Amino acid sequence: MGVVGSRHPPPNLGVCKDVTPGDTGSSPRLRGSWRYRKLGRLWGEEEKGSGGCSMAELEGPEFGKADFVLLDEVTMEQFLENLRLRVKNVLLKSNCVLEAFGNAKTNRNDNSSRFGKYMDINFDFKGDPTGGHIHNYLLEKSRVLQQQPGERNFHAFYQLLLGAPAALLTSLHLCRDPSTYCYTREGAQGDACTDDASGYRAVEEAMAVIGFSPEEMGSVRRILAAILHLGNLRFTHEEETTLVEDTSGVSVLAELTATAPDSLRRALLARTVAAGAGELIEKGHSPKEAAYARDACAKAIYERLFCWIVGRINAGIAARGYDARVHGKSTVIGVLDIYGFEIFDNNSFEQFCINYCNEKLQQLFIELILRQEQAEYQREGITWQSIEYFSNEPIVELVEQPHRGILALLDEACLAAGTVTDSLFLASMDTRLGHHPHYTSRKLCPTDKTMEFNRDFRIKHYAGDVTYSVEGFLDKNKDTLFQDFKRLFYNSADPVLRAMWPDGEQSITEVTKRPLTTGTLFKNSIVALVENLACKEPYYVRCIKPNDQKSPTLFDMERCRHQVSYLGLLENVRVRRAGFAYRQPYHRFLLRYKMTCEYTWPNHLMASDREATQALLEQHGFQDDVAYGYTKVFIRTPRTLVCLEQERAQLIPIIVLLLQKAWRGALARRRCRYLRAAYTIMACYKRHKVRAYLRELLRRFQAVRTLPDFGKSVVWPEPPAVLVHFQDASQRLFRRWRARQIIKNIPPSEMGQIRAKVAAMVALGGLREAWGCQRSWARDYLSSPSENPALALLFARRLQSLKDKVHFGSVLFSCHVRKINRFGKSQDRAILVTDQHVYKLDPRKRYLMMRAIPLSTVTGLSVTSCRAQLVVFHTQSQEDLAVCLHKMQPAGDNRVGELVGVLLEHCRATKRELQVRVSDCIQLSFRGHRRLLTVETRPNAATPDFSKSRDGFVLYWPGK
């Protein structure tokens, strides 16, 4: 059927703050946009054609007088953003998931909420969200089965069909075309209202962010697919037996729900009844009854899936581990997003419940805004002329009154024995409610041809007259679902599906209470919601629907005037205009504004807070714009309060600076006292540590002159931090004193050897394994009979002839060596180092001089880090000399350090620089050609010898 009626906006969208009861007139702007007021409750309703509401227009030109705003196409997510809430990502993502499973395209709104939602958002003392909780109300599950022409099923079905990957659809036995499935066929006829493919990806991402596991998300997809396949089952009648036309569909359903195919087939075609005394009877269905059971099962599955998703979201967004004693005081903002008033061509049980909900919220609005406002003026003794307003309490009583209301009569009809039809229920209402001024039917008003006999009744709601059809009232209120389905799904192997059916655990023979009807459950939840909201102090933002064409540019004056009228906005404006924009108890008023008056700052000396408040206002000249109640002061216009706020804003910085100056001074003085005490203690402790250290140092070193090692073995005490540098300097002085004591006992003839060893230690210490520092250095080993018994005399003659010829001063070093030339030829030679030259001699030819290298041309020495006696003389002419000391007595003597030390000491005495390199890969040069010289150890080698290698030369050294 076409929709020609209108969907009216909700009765209210309120902002509730935690303020003193009765303080209903204070303006949001005067409250500093919540800067200094504690956040309490914010609750509202989404209008079923506008998609939501916003706080953007909360403050009008005269704040405190703005009661409604005009909005169009504002989503719930934008609503939260407009409130400037730093909501966690998971809270926003939960809205995406709830919209997918709870919203659908209607003729008035492409993203209409088909369920009611009340969400609490917890905030810590800094205003950061810490968690939340969601309550859902009356999901329109009948939409799963059928939709109005031009409308669609819930978004989740189309997102799965049009957005899921092809492989996933294949595993679910689905195809892309929504018209293939009975439950989505109506929605497939029109154009898609949203991008379902991107919506599918957004929902998948949101569920992952909230905390749904991949297994849970897979179960949700399988349940959606099972509902689609369930709607395509058809039943036929053969030989008094009902059968499923396509048995393959049962197998697919069993696979998706993880149940046994035979058990699923029995649940679809029959139901088990307990006949008493433990006897069970299986009663088969007719095709019509089987179709009814199929549809009831589909609705129940989707409703329980939706409730499970809400519960899973609540588990993901719950505030955990919050302790007010540790984390500070927390606050809660509640957002109510619920159905708007609905009037269709065919209004059924769902519209009846939705409009009853709106009547309850309108009643709350009347109670909080109109009745309590005027009651407060009378209670405070303020002169007031009462303003008449429409009260919808009779309409609410018509629906919910115990034993006589429509819901009570509906439950009575559902519980009656025998066959009770919708027409009999209508007749019962005509009989018992016919006298009510807000109820009528065709039987009561035969001349009204807009209603049908035995089908329609009309209620005069606050928003207009609505004609309801009783067809389906009893079935929808009973919401019958056979126990066979509950036990079937409770025994499913899918843990998610099993968790949705805890009542399936009961045996068929167990006696259970009759479940509450849908109408009673909904009434109880709405009553609890209203009681929760009634304890808050609301600030309403009215959402007016400007047109029915979903256009942002059209403004239908008649439609807006009708909404303003039935919402009671005119009465609200009159109450506000005739009343006072702001009221506050005297002590709280003084606490905020006492600094603006010299008689009240810092504290007044008057008899009462009322007299002090009166003196403050008279000093500012506002006595004509205020009224004084018994416990509160009432200010009529916001202009007065603005002036007080401006005065206060100018004085607050001065007061703050004064307080800061006094407090900072107190802190600075206290800190100064602490520092002085700390420095005094530190100074005494430092002096104690210094004295203790010096006493211990004196004790340890007072007898070092008598020790054989002059105090080398004495352990220095650990110095305090202040004496670390002192100890370093003392240790340096002690080492110099000790060295002086040792040197005093060394003969002058040995000082040259000592200086040479020191030079060798500086050059080779830590770089070479051994360098012969533990023995006496003879230097001229070739002249020693013990070293060179056969040729010592001959060498002495050659040495004398060289001295006569060259006139050198002294012999620095001499020894037999093994040398290598640029051709790789290795021979035995002798080396003589004087203070002028380095001579290469041939011992086989009476120490004939083979080569003389001026000592002034030697630029450096290279030795290895191992025990090999390899020495390379680097010269300025790039004609290096590589030798290996050998034929030493005793064998294995280490003379490389001696050669390096005497040359370094000679260069120091002659003020020349000599570079010494320690490397296992020595680079040498033969007539400009560079070669590499390495050392290898060979255990089977008797004497050291040179050989060619790929990169140059190698010295084979005997040893391990």
Side-chain angles (χ1 to χ4, degrees), residues 184-202:
T184 56
R185 190 168 297 149
E186 177 64 36
Q189 296 176 3
D191 296 335
C193 64
T194 57
D195 187 352
D196 292 306
S198 62
Y200 174 82
R201 293 189 295 270

Side-chain angles (χ1 to χ4, degrees), residues 896-935:
V896 171
E898 182 178 356
L899 176 58
V900 171
V902 296
L903 284 176
L904 286 173
E905 175 59 22
H906 175 73
C907 290
R908 184 194 66 80
T910 57
K911 298 181 180 180
R912 289 180 51 243
E913 184 177 357
L914 182 69
Q915 295 183 353
V916 178
R917 302 183 186 89
V918 181
S919 174
D920 291 330
C921 183
I922 300 174
Q923 188 179 59
L924 56 105
S925 179
F926 288 138
R927 295 189 178 180
H929 298 285
R930 296 187 180 276
R931 297 289 187 271
L932 292 179
L933 177 58
T934 59
V935 178

Side-chain angles (χ1 to χ4, degrees), residues 138-165:
L138 192 65
L139 177 70
E140 189 189 13
K141 57 184 178 182
S142 62
R143 180 170 290 272
V144 174
L145 308 182
Q146 61 181 6
Q147 305 88 41
Q148 299 279 358
E151 297 189 354
R152 298 204 316 173
N153 209 325
F154 292 101
H155 293 326
F157 293 108
Y158 302 96
Q159 291 174 354
L160 177 64
L161 294 175
L162 301 177

Side-chain angles (χ1 to χ4, degrees), residues 827-895:
Q827 291 180 337
D828 286 338
R829 292 286 187 267
I831 186 173
L832 171 64
V833 181
T834 68
D835 57 356
Q836 296 182 7
H837 291 82
V838 176
Y839 297 101
K840 183 175 68 174
L841 310 176
D842 188 352
R844 293 176 300 178
K845 298 180 179 181
R846 297 176 177 271
Y847 291 102
L848 178 66
M849 183 181 65
M850 306 298 294
R851 181 183 175 188
I853 303 174
L855 195 59
S856 60
T857 64
V858 176
T859 60
L861 298 177
S862 292
V863 298
T864 63
S865 61
C866 61
R867 297 185 64 86
Q869 301 298 299
L870 176 64
V871 179
V872 177
F873 294 85
H874 301 285
T875 64
Q876 295 177 352
S877 61
Q878 302 296 315
E879 187 67 24
D880 296 344
L881 176 61
V883 298
C884 178
L885 310 181
H886 77 137
K887 294 182 180 180
M888 297 175 290
Q889 295 295 329
D893 196 6
N894 198 324
R895 295 178 182 173

Side-chain angles (χ1 to χ4, degrees), residues 495-516:
V496 173
L497 184 60
R498 177 187 176 92
M500 298 177 190
W501 302 85
D503 46 351
E505 184 179 7
Q506 295 177 333
S507 172
I508 187 64
T509 58
E510 293 184 34
V511 179
T512 59
K513 283 185 63 176
R514 184 187 297 271
L516 296 177

Side-chain angles (χ1 to χ4, degrees), residues 6 34 90 165 234 456 523 531 599 607 758:
S6 64
W34 303 349
V90 65
R234 295 293 177 267
D456 296 340
K523 182 188 75 171
E531 289 177 354
Y599 303 113
V758 171

Side-chain angles (χ1 to χ4, degrees), residues 355-356 358-368 370-371 389-402 404-406 436-439 459-463 530 566:
N355 293 340
Y356 160 65
N358 281 268
E359 289 284 359
K360 289 289 291 182
L361 294 177
Q362 177 67 9
Q363 183 186 34
L364 179 66
F365 165 74
I366 293 171
E367 178 69 24
L368 294 180
L370 302 179
R371 184 178 302 169
Y389 53 86
F390 170 76
S391 175
N392 70 334
E393 186 172 352
I395 304 174
V396 175
E397 291 182 352
L398 170 65
V399 177
E400 70 175 14
Q401 188 176 17
R404 292 193 294 178
I406 294 178
H436 200 286
H438 294 277
Y439 174 86
I459 296 179
K460 296 180 180 179
H461 288 283
Y462 76 94
V530 170
Y566 77 70

Side-chain angles (χ1 to χ4, degrees), residues 7-23:
R7 294 186 176 183
H8 296 286
N12 53 58
L13 185 150
V15 181
C16 303
K17 299 186 180 180
D18 184 11
V19 297
T20 302
D23 186 14

